[in-house]
Amino acid sequence: MHARLLTMALAALLFSTLGCQAADVTLVREGEPAATLLLGENPTLGAQLAAFELQHFVQQITGAELPIVREPAQVAGPRVLVGESEATRALGLDPSKFQHQEHLLRTVGEDLVLIGKDKPAFGEYKYGTAWFSYGHGGLFDSDELGTPYAVYTLLEKLGVRWYWPGDLGTVIPRSQNLTVPALDLQVKPYMFACRFNGYNPRPLSQPWINVFRPETLVWPVPATPEDVGLDQLRFLESSWRVRNQGGRGELASGHSQLLRSYIKRSAETHPEWWGTNKPVFGSQMCLTNPALVDQVVQDIIDVMTGKEDRIAPTLEGLHLMRWKREVEARTVALGMEDTNKFCQCDRCKAMYDPFDENKYKMGFSCGTHSRYVWTFVSQVARRVQAVVPDVKISCIAYWVYFYPPEGVEIPDNVESIPCLHWPYHHDPVIRDYERHVVEGWGKLTPNRVVTYAYYLFPAYSAVLANQAKRVQIPTWNLSFFAPRMIADNLKHAVQHGARGFTAELNSWPVGSGSLDNVIWGHLNMYMTWKLSQDPTLDPDAILQEYYHLFYGPAEVPMGRFWDGLEKLYMSPQHADEVWTAQRVLQLGEYLQQARALLPDETSAYRRRVEMVRQGVFNTLDDSRQLRSWPVTHDFEDRSLLGFVDLGGHMPPPTDHASVVSEDVDGQLNHFLAVPGYFNVMRTLPVPVKVEGDLATIEIKLRVRCHGASPVGVYLTSLSQPEGGAGGYAKGEKDVAFGLQGYQYGNDSNQISYFQDGKSVSKTERTPLLPAADEWHTLRLLFDRGAGSLTAWVDDKPQRYLEQTGVRLEGAAFQGLWLRGHGSAYDDISVTSTKKAD
């Protein structure tokens, strides 16, 4: 079959040429090298990477290793000219005139030219270690990588595919002969940038490892976290992204590093720049202060003209790295802090608009502060443009400044970045609302729109949807899967001026609750990469090719599995009506059919099916159990329905437990508690109604942790602060209170609550639980009479976690949230008593 695929790929490659009459170029003949890879005398790092990659995959296809040499070496026979060299200059090729990430594939005589616009970075590149976003060898995945992209374009035309990280996720045809037909192909990705954020791999021992879990990348599954090193994880992750041309372009998006720098720079010298707020992390600045506007403009001009950089010394870690990347990309982000704490001075308040239901459909994004924020952005951008016209100003259209502002003229050096909740888009009302907003930004900033899509939801988003009375998305242990919808949204965005894309996968490791693993999400990412390069592609054709290439004889049942998963996710019905046991078990039946067609358990096809079973179906089955669906099935292989902890360390969970709470009316309310694992992927809201004037409310459970694992328990109303800011209904209070602790001393234990719309907490950097892998009783008590919150461990009060002066009048607790990772719990109880008359 591989030979047939190779023939088909080469035929497609020939068809795509522009009529060049040059001869074919034979790279390998009868398993022996027939060509040489030629680099310039001082090749860029990108050109070196490209040569190594072509050598590697040609060897994978044919078994032959093509030699790599550098000028001025004399080469007999066919040459592959990789990157800029004297040989390419003699052909009149100047990649410096190419556009961003543009690359050329051309046969000239018996030579093949693979060249593109590369970052002018030189030195020796060490192949096979961590890549790009970690700065190895001086490259980032957002740098100019035109020559590597030329190699990847060629390899894809030769039938190579990278569907998920690592060898098992790669499709490689096999042949002893490899010839590239005559071609002349110049390629430029349609979107200048396509990036994913929030999925940097970390060792498994760290509890917030999110998308890239070692056991989903390496076969067989490692026994311990140490079996997969951090460098290997980075290599697997970064190589997968770059080979799919998915790291293109540097984006200055998110919350402003420049504005964040003023926390240190102006706290004492210019407190007036903060209006009614204090100059601390999480506060917004007074955007109507003329002196602040002057300073922001001057800082951007000074840095971009090389005069002075006062900003860098005030930033640390990731913030400093992001600022340096903004400076290098000559694009400065001016997004606000991620908080609704805006200045309340008279000037600022005059710029705030009343809440408009037509500009709010989701429980989060609206336009109450759009005119305020975008007036500031436009003022800065217009003045910067007069001095340094090549510098761009970007700003996320986010939260209360999401909706396009009315009456604000935005200059043409501004990029708008609307932040979109695509996991909501099975709801046509929300889909149409966000598309309307994209169209509005396309008119205000034509061809300067960058789409920012959240892929990390839906678990967190479901809470917001609940506030908007549009509960459509499960809040329990499911992630986002809808590659066709992603393709449709990208096509729509392109039609309305989108020229860049970025997505956030899982940057809220504790709060999101979603299960983002690479097996579940790889088709979302692959579809995004393909459509961002060429939005005219047919998503159905991409998926059919995937089913055929990746699963071989099992392509039909595996196609039904993935199509069925997307159909369930995209159903507009309420989640509880969609994700029934019968429907989930039908997906398992497709996997059984696929396994029956693949009896060789060692084949790549069968191993891929097994990875899907572990990374996707078992997660669905976990959720089925969490929702107390009937455990009825006819599978012979009972393990298919087993509860699989992706960490692979803890024993299976015990049976469900029914826990009783007594509300103020003396009614008994039963809710489902789930002994077993609770982790960053299972933030589980359990319905509890404890209403009225409370005297006390107590949460008690047994808990144990594995290693450095956090635990947490919260009782919450799932409501939001008063005032309607952000589109929330007026008159609501968030009266959540809870305890969060960490097993290792470097992180904090925290007792916290919301009171009068404000978060109050007390922190102690002391381990909460005495030892890992042991059962301890964790208890949290609110005593209204004493006005205190207190935590106990094993019936010993943790005085450093006691908080006094707490007022939670009229509390209505609606949900119990249990959080942790690699941990187990049972014997949960929630009790309350009414305040005495």
Side-chain angles (χ1 to χ4, degrees):
M1 185 191 76
H2 291 303
R4 178 172 64 87
L5 289 175
L6 182 59
T7 302
M8 292 170 58
L10 290 177
L13 178 61
L14 179 61
F15 179 76
S16 69
T17 62
L18 302 178
C20 179
Q21 299 302 309
D24 301 346
V25 176
T26 297
L27 303 181
V28 177
R29 183 181 297 110
E30 298 298 328
E32 296 296 329
T36 301
L37 307 182
L38 180 66
L39 291 166
E41 184 174 6
N42 185 28
T44 63
L45 296 175
Q48 295 175 59
L49 168 64
F52 285 130
E53 285 282 80
L54 184 57
Q55 181 189 58
H56 171 76
F57 283 104
V58 168
Q59 186 175 32
Q60 292 289 305
I61 294 170
T62 67
E65 181 177 300
L66 301 182
I68 300 175
V69 302
R70 297 189 182 186
E71 291 179 334
Q74 298 298 312
V75 176
R79 302 177 301 174
V80 181
L81 310 181
V82 183
E84 188 174 17
S85 64
E86 289 297 332
T88 60
R89 285 189 283 272
L91 296 173
L93 298 176
D94 183 0
S96 67
K97 296 181 179 179
F98 288 8
Q99 296 186 42
H100 183 68
Q101 307 294 14
E102 188 173 8
H103 49 279
L104 172 74
L105 299 81
R106 176 179 294 169
T107 50
V108 181
E110 62 176 3
D111 293 339
L112 170 63
V113 179
L114 301 173
I115 190 173
K117 188 175 184 179
D118 294 337
K119 177 182 178 179
F122 302 91
E124 294 300 315
Y125 182 79
K126 296 181 181 179
Y127 184 60
T129 56
W131 291 8
F132 302 111
S133 60
Y134 306 92
H136 180 82
L139 285 176
F140 285 79
D141 62 1
S142 56
D143 287 327
E144 292 284 1
L145 298 171
T147 301
Y149 283 3
V151 166
Y152 301 136
T153 297
L154 174 64
L155 289 170
E156 285 198 346
K157 291 184 176 297
L158 295 176
V160 179
R161 298 291 185 273
W162 301 278
Y163 286 121
W164 71 50
D167 292 340
L168 188 60
T170 305
V171 172
I172 300 177
R174 309 292 180 182
S175 176
Q176 284 195 316
N177 298 288
L178 188 58
T179 297
V180 178
L183 61 93
D184 189 352
L185 186 63
Q186 196 150 347
V187 180
K188 182 183 71 172
Y190 184 83
M191 287 190 170
F192 77 91
C194 180
R195 301 190 53 72
F196 285 90
N197 301 320
Y199 64 106
N200 292 342
R202 296 178 171 91
L204 185 59
S205 59
Q206 294 190 22
W208 45 80
I209 183 167
N210 34 51
V211 176
F212 288 93
R213 304 187 60 83
E215 61 273 25
T216 64
L217 304 183
V218 183
W219 193 276
V221 176
T224 67
E226 290 72 23
D227 290 347
V228 178
L230 183 58
D231 282 346
Q232 183 180 358
L233 283 178
R234 288 174 170 172
F235 176 79
L236 291 169
E237 174 266 318
S238 55
S239 61
W240 177 50
R241 183 172 67 235
V242 174
R243 286 164 179 167
N244 281 298
Q245 303 183 40
R248 306 188 307 277
E250 183 60 44
L251 291 170
S253 61
H255 310 292
S256 175
Q257 309 309 316
L258 174 60
L259 298 183
R260 188 164 283 166
S261 74
Y262 292 117
I263 295 173
K264 292 184 177 180
R265 297 168 59 199
S266 66
E268 296 181 0
T269 57
H270 294 286
E272 71 278 7
W273 290 356
W274 297 83
T276 59
N277 293 323
K278 294 181 180 179
V280 296
F281 184 86
S283 292
Q284 308 288 15
M285 303 188 76
C286 179
L287 303 186
T288 61
N289 186 298
L292 172 64
V293 176
D294 291 344
Q295 186 65 57
V296 171
V297 171
Q298 192 60 53
D299 282 341
I300 296 174
I301 292 173
D302 285 351
V303 171
M304 293 303 178
T305 56
K307 293 180 181 179
E308 187 175 357
D309 186 354
R310 295 176 295 273
I311 296 91
T314 65
L315 299 172
E316 299 175 355
L318 184 61
H319 300 304
L320 176 59
M321 184 187 77
R322 287 177 175 172
W323 170 250
K324 289 181 177 179
R325 299 300 294 168
E326 288 184 28
V327 173
E328 185 173 336
R330 299 189 71 75
T331 303
V332 177
L334 287 184
M336 302 296 104
E337 284 290 351
D338 196 3
T339 174
N340 203 20
K341 191 177 181 181
F342 285 92
C343 176
Q344 297 299 308
C345 76
D346 291 340
R347 287 195 312 264
C348 289
K349 288 174 67 175
M351 296 288 289
Y352 304 158
D353 291 328
F355 174 70
D356 184 344
E357 180 69 28
N358 294 321
K359 299 177 182 178
Y360 159 74
K361 290 289 186 292
M362 307 168 11
F364 188 77
S365 303
C366 67
T368 56
H369 291 58
S370 289
R371 186 166 57 95
Y372 172 68
V373 170
W374 288 96
T375 295
F376 166 76
V377 171
S378 298
Q379 288 176 342
V380 171
R382 192 170 290 109
R383 292 172 57 182
V384 167
Q385 187 179 46
V387 180
V388 278
D390 67 314
V391 172
K392 292 184 294 184
I393 305 298
S394 73
C395 185
I396 49 176
Y398 176 74
W399 199 356
V400 292
Y401 52 101
F402 171 67
Y403 203 88
E406 297 178 4
V408 178
E409 184 176 342
I410 299 179
D412 59 11
N413 63 330
V414 172
E415 288 179 345
S416 63
I417 309 177
C419 299
L420 307 168
H421 297 72
W422 286 2
Y424 275 144
H425 283 200
H426 58 349
D427 184 329
V429 172
I430 293 176
R431 178 200 63 203
D432 293 346
Y433 168 67
E434 290 205 331
R435 288 190 173 186
H436 168 71
V437 169
V438 169
E439 293 165 12
W441 282 112
K443 294 175 182 177
L444 275 178
T445 55
N447 296 319
R448 289 176 281 113
V449 177
V450 173
T451 301
Y452 193 120
Y454 295 105
Y455 284 24
L456 74 162
F457 299 138
Y460 177 78
S461 299
V463 179
L464 304 177
N466 180 52
Q467 295 157 7
K469 312 305 180 187
R470 304 200 62 83
V471 181
Q472 304 290 338
I473 304 171
T475 61
W476 34 272
N477 203 33
L478 289 182
S479 192
F480 162 49
F481 179 79
R484 290 180 178 87
M485 180 261 281
I486 287 173
D488 289 344
N489 280 341
L490 282 168
K491 290 174 181 286
H492 174 267
V494 164
Q495 292 172 359
H496 296 280
R499 295 298 179 266
F501 175 87
T502 186
E504 186 174 344
L505 287 181
N506 197 0
S507 67
W508 288 19
V510 173
S512 73
S514 60
L515 176 54
D516 288 327
N517 65 64
V518 71
I519 308 302
W520 188 301
H522 70 284
L523 283 176
N524 287 344
M525 300 172 74
Y526 186 79
M527 185 67 75
T528 303
W529 288 327
K530 296 301 114 178
L531 270 292
S532 69
Q533 294 169 45
D534 183 357
T536 67
L537 294 175
D538 179 1
D540 285 310
I542 292 173
L543 291 173
Q544 291 304 316
E545 180 187 67
Y546 163 77
Y547 302 149
H548 176 68
L549 294 177
F550 210 53
Y551 303 109
E555 63 177 297
V556 173
M558 290 306 295
R560 289 172 178 169
F561 174 86
W562 289 111
D563 291 348
L565 182 65
E566 182 172 25
K567 183 178 180 180
L568 287 179
Y569 187 87
M570 289 303 295
S571 172
Q573 295 173 270
H574 189 283
D576 290 339
E577 300 172 6
V578 175
W579 300 92
T580 64
Q582 181 179 3
R583 288 173 175 157
V584 172
L585 295 177
Q586 178 60 67
L587 296 179
E589 193 68 59
Y590 294 142
L591 291 180
Q592 289 291 80
Q593 295 170 12
R595 297 170 93 194
L597 292 169
L598 302 168
D600 181 2
E601 296 183 4
T602 65
S603 72
Y605 296 136
R606 175 63 180 268
R607 290 160 57 197
R608 289 165 184 157
V609 171
E610 294 302 318
M611 295 295 266
V612 172
R613 180 169 77 94
Q614 180 185 15
V616 180
F617 179 76
N618 283 339
T619 299
L620 288 171
D621 187 55
D622 292 356
S623 296
R624 178 187 60 78
Q625 295 185 46
L626 295 181
R627 301 302 290 180
S628 192
W629 290 331
V631 184
T632 58
H633 56 81
D634 298 319
F635 294 137
E636 293 182 4
D637 181 6
R638 311 284 286 199
S639 67
L640 191 63
L641 289 171
F643 188 107
V644 175
D645 173 46
L646 294 185
H649 300 295
M650 300 294 287
T654 58
D655 293 333
H656 298 311
S658 179
V659 181
V660 177
S661 78
E662 182 177 355
D663 67 13
V664 294
D665 298 321
Q667 302 294 320
L668 296 180
N669 296 307
H670 295 265
F671 66 93
L672 178 68
V674 189
Y677 306 105
F678 66 104
N679 53 35
V680 73
M681 298 155 208
R682 286 191 194 90
T683 303
L684 178 66
V686 184
V688 183
K689 292 184 178 179
V690 187
E691 300 177 326
D693 254 347
L694 299 175
T696 64
I697 185 166
E698 181 178 18
I699 304 170
K700 188 176 181 180
L701 73 157
R702 287 204 316 155
V703 61
R704 67 178 180 180
C705 297
H706 175 80
S709 301
V711 296
V713 56
Y714 296 83
L715 194 64
T716 175
S717 70
L718 304 181
S719 63
Q720 292 292 334
E722 288 190 35
Y728 300 123
K730 291 184 177 181
E732 291 184 327
K733 289 185 179 181
D734 192 332
V735 289
F737 75 89
L739 174 73
Q740 180 171 317
Y742 293 86
Q743 178 62 33
Y744 39 89
N746 290 332
D747 286 271
S748 61
N749 302 309
Q750 186 178 83
I751 193 165
S752 61
Y753 58 95
F754 283 84
Q755 181 170 289
D756 299 329
K758 296 181 180 180
S759 175
V760 182
S761 64
K762 186 175 182 179
T763 298
E764 174 70 23
R765 292 191 176 277
T766 303
L768 177 67
L769 300 184
D773 288 331
E774 294 180 2
W775 286 103
H776 300 280
T777 300
L778 184 63
R779 180 176 169 218
L780 181 64
L781 176 68
F782 163 60
D783 186 329
R784 184 185 182 281
S788 65
L789 287 175
T790 308
W792 281 260
V793 174
D794 297 333
D795 294 324
K796 296 179 181 178
Q798 306 299 306
R799 291 301 180 185
Y800 57 82
L801 290 179
E802 183 175 1
Q803 189 78 351
T804 58
V806 179
R807 301 183 312 278
L808 298 180
E809 304 294 338
F813 297 99
Q814 300 172 4
L816 175 64
W817 290 72
L818 303 171
R819 297 175 177 174
H821 182 284
S823 304
Y825 61 89
D826 67 1
D827 295 345
I828 305 172
S829 66
V830 178
T831 58
S832 65
T833 58
K834 186 177 180 180
K835 185 182 70 171
D837 294 330

